[in-house]
Amino acid sequence: MENDSGNQRGITKEHFGLSNLTGMNCLVDGNIPPSSGLSSSSALVCCAGLVTLTVLGMNLSKVELAEICAKSERYIGTEGGGMDQSISFLAEEGTAKLIEFSPLRATDVKLPSEAVFVIANSCVEMNKAATSHFNIRVMECRLAAKLLAKYRGLQWGKVLRLEEVQTKLGVSLEEMLWITEDALHPEPYSPEEVCRCLGISLQELRTQILSPNTQDVPIFKLYQRAKHVYSEAARVLQFKKICEEAPDDTVQLLGELMNQSHASCRDMYECSCPELDQLVDICRKFGAEGSRLTGAGWGGCTVSLVPADKLTSFLANVHQAYYQRSDRNLTFEKQSLFATKPGGGALVFLEA
């Protein structure tokens, strides 16, 4: 845990203005498969943050700690958000959470009792810190936000997120999708075209906007990334609304949203992979109302919404169809396929 605790000591020193921080030896254990897209790296960072505060005898609110942990991950060059860290601290047993930012807040979402969520690992590992895939998508969203902001006459210089454009304009997500259609073209943008649109030099683009590992990217798909982000945000709100209204076909409607989400991740955000697409298809074939990739993508796990009365047959059929195929050489473990439910967030257990 040396890197994570080191990052946390640095961020804690920055936040509290401390010096001569206490050292610590840590033992880490867990059963989440590496690079499976189940937020294990963020959970480890959150654990390191909580341990560091405990060792220092200091306290922060869960919201403050989540924000600090999200910031600390950027020290290794991953331009991530804060959703994983937020749920690591703010999760409560028995309820899903709608996570919102600016300010950070979490709202309970009651899930349907007649269905369960099942995790299935594609067994394709993707280390987002070792590739530029993740950061490229973040930069594409950042550039799209700046072009949209300029198109609508906003001060675009400090705009970093697509959500900021929507907030500043005071319009709905559906309206942002129409604005995206008007302002951006589906064809990829070259760095030179981005510079012309913003009225900046290539040097300014590379040094002031892009991250170090995205400065030589030849094209940016701004239209596709913006369409994905705004439509995905709209699906999240629709999911919450359906759970609250509890119609007779709740599970089917939620499943349809999950299926739409995967299609958008695959086609518009392009963060899927052939194995994930195949696993999603298998899960739907054997009874899932909806299935989609989870986590950063390019590997890792799918999450499927399965009617409770189909769970046993679903697990057996997916196990056979994906993990026992003769042309695959996969070592199946219990962590590869399992049903799950909302649990509580990070805690400190102290011996009496």
Side-chain angles (χ1 to χ4, degrees):
M1 197 163 118
E2 181 178 349
N3 288 339
D4 288 314
S5 59
N7 286 345
Q8 288 297 343
R9 286 197 298 271
I11 199 76
T12 305
K13 181 177 180 180
E14 177 185 310
H15 187 77
F16 291 109
L18 300 176
S19 59
N20 300 320
L21 296 176
T22 303
M24 53 186 173
N25 295 318
C26 299
L27 174 66
V28 177
D29 188 24
N31 59 4
I32 301 297
S35 301
S36 58
L38 297 178
S39 305
S40 56
S41 59
S42 294
L44 184 57
V45 169
C46 291
C47 175
L50 200 53
V51 168
T52 302
L53 283 184
T54 302
V55 169
L56 295 174
M58 295 184 168
N59 292 302
L60 285 174
S61 71
K62 290 182 178 181
V63 168
E64 289 177 300
L65 194 48
E67 291 174 334
I68 288 176
C69 287
K71 184 178 180 182
S72 74
E73 286 206 52
R74 299 178 193 128
Y75 276 50
I76 64 168
T78 300
E79 296 286 339
M83 187 167 60
D84 292 349
Q85 299 82 2
S86 299
I87 197 61
S88 289
F89 286 115
L90 302 177
E92 294 183 66
E93 187 173 356
T95 181
K97 293 284 187 178
L98 170 67
I99 302 293
E100 298 174 278
F101 298 93
S102 303
L104 173 60
R105 57 205 184 276
T107 306
D108 289 353
V109 177
K110 183 175 175 59
L111 297 172
S113 59
E114 64 271 25
V116 294
F117 286 98
V118 177
I119 303 297
N121 190 359
S122 72
C123 300
V124 176
E125 295 187 6
M126 202 294 285
N127 183 351
K128 61 178 179 285
T131 71
S132 60
H133 299 324
F134 187 86
N135 279 5
I136 288 173
R137 297 299 182 275
V138 176
M139 292 304 121
E140 287 175 318
C141 290
R142 181 174 297 177
L143 292 174
K146 290 182 180 295
L147 263 66
L148 288 171
K150 187 172 184 185
Y151 176 80
R152 292 303 298 261
L154 301 175
Q155 295 292 323
W156 59 268
K158 294 185 178 180
V159 170
L160 298 176
R161 302 186 306 276
L162 288 161
E163 179 271 337
E164 293 177 69
V165 182
Q166 182 201 359
T167 300
K168 290 178 183 295
L169 292 177
V171 300
S172 68
L173 289 165
E174 289 73 18
E175 288 175 285
M176 284 308 310
L177 287 168
W178 286 110
I179 292 172
T180 299
E181 291 279 353
D182 290 338
L184 303 176
H185 55 66
E187 297 77 24
Y189 287 72
S190 67
E192 291 77 13
E193 183 178 6
V194 171
C195 291
R196 288 196 298 273
C197 291
L198 296 178
I200 60 175
S201 68
L202 196 58
Q203 180 68 10
E204 288 173 312
L205 173 66
R206 288 173 172 165
T207 60
Q208 298 179 22
I209 299 177
L210 300 178
S211 63
N213 67 342
T214 61
Q215 292 178 0
D216 296 319
V217 174
I219 60 169
F220 300 102
K221 296 185 178 182
L222 308 188
Y223 170 88
Q224 291 83 352
R225 309 319 182 216
K227 290 277 284 188
H228 169 74
V229 169
Y230 287 129
S231 65
E232 188 77 337
R235 282 187 287 272
V236 169
L237 297 181
Q238 290 170 16
F239 194 102
K240 178 176 181 288
K241 183 179 180 181
I242 291 170
C243 288
E244 290 172 341
E245 294 177 348
D248 294 336
D249 52 354
T250 294
V251 176
Q252 180 183 351
L253 292 174
L254 297 181
E256 289 174 1
L257 290 175
M258 293 176 67
N259 294 335
Q260 292 170 19
S261 176
H262 184 77
S264 186
C265 286
R266 181 192 64 214
D267 302 333
M268 302 301 282
Y269 210 64
E270 296 180 281
C271 64
S272 189
C273 68
E275 293 84 356
L276 279 173
D277 295 338
Q278 182 184 34
L279 186 52
V280 161
D281 289 342
I282 288 172
C283 290
R284 293 176 188 164
K285 176 181 177 181
F286 291 113
E289 290 290 347
S291 186
R292 53 152 293 171
L293 66 83
T294 186
W298 297 283
C301 292
T302 64
V303 58
S304 300
L305 186 62
V306 181
D309 59 358
K310 296 182 180 179
L311 178 60
T312 301
S313 62
F314 174 84
L315 294 174
N317 287 326
V318 172
H319 180 195
Q320 182 176 14
Y322 188 79
Y323 299 98
Q324 291 188 328
R325 275 180 42 184
S326 59
D327 59 341
R328 289 190 180 277
N329 185 24
L330 300 178
T331 301
F332 181 79
E333 298 178 358
K334 187 176 181 181
Q335 298 95 321
S336 297
L337 180 66
F338 58 92
T340 187
K341 57 184 178 181
L347 296 172
V348 175
F349 295 93
L350 299 176
E351 290 188 8

